[in-house]
Amino acid sequence: MVVLALVDLVVARLAWTKLLVDVAVEEVAAGGAMTLDEHLSQLDALVRAEAC
């Protein structure tokens, strides 16, 4: 049971990260104010903050 809950948590985290990356790519493609590198840097900071 615990293993299944952990797997669900990891899958949810990966889906959330993919969603954030997809949004960043779409915004950059649409001529957004931030570059893809800036979006990915923010995403990296968010993931590192959540890991602590």
Side-chain angles (χ1 to χ4, degrees):
M1 289 294 218
V2 174
V3 173
L4 291 177
L6 290 174
V7 169
D8 285 345
L9 182 63
V10 169
V11 169
R13 172 77 47 107
L14 290 173
W16 175 247
T17 303
K18 182 184 181 314
L19 175 65
L20 291 175
V21 170
D22 288 347
V23 168
V25 168
E26 285 180 20
E27 184 177 321
V28 170
M34 295 175 63
T35 66
L36 185 58
D37 286 338
E38 290 170 329
H39 277 291
L40 293 179
S41 292
Q42 284 187 350
L43 178 60
D44 183 52
L46 177 67
V47 169
R48 289 176 189 269
E50 288 182 4
C52 294

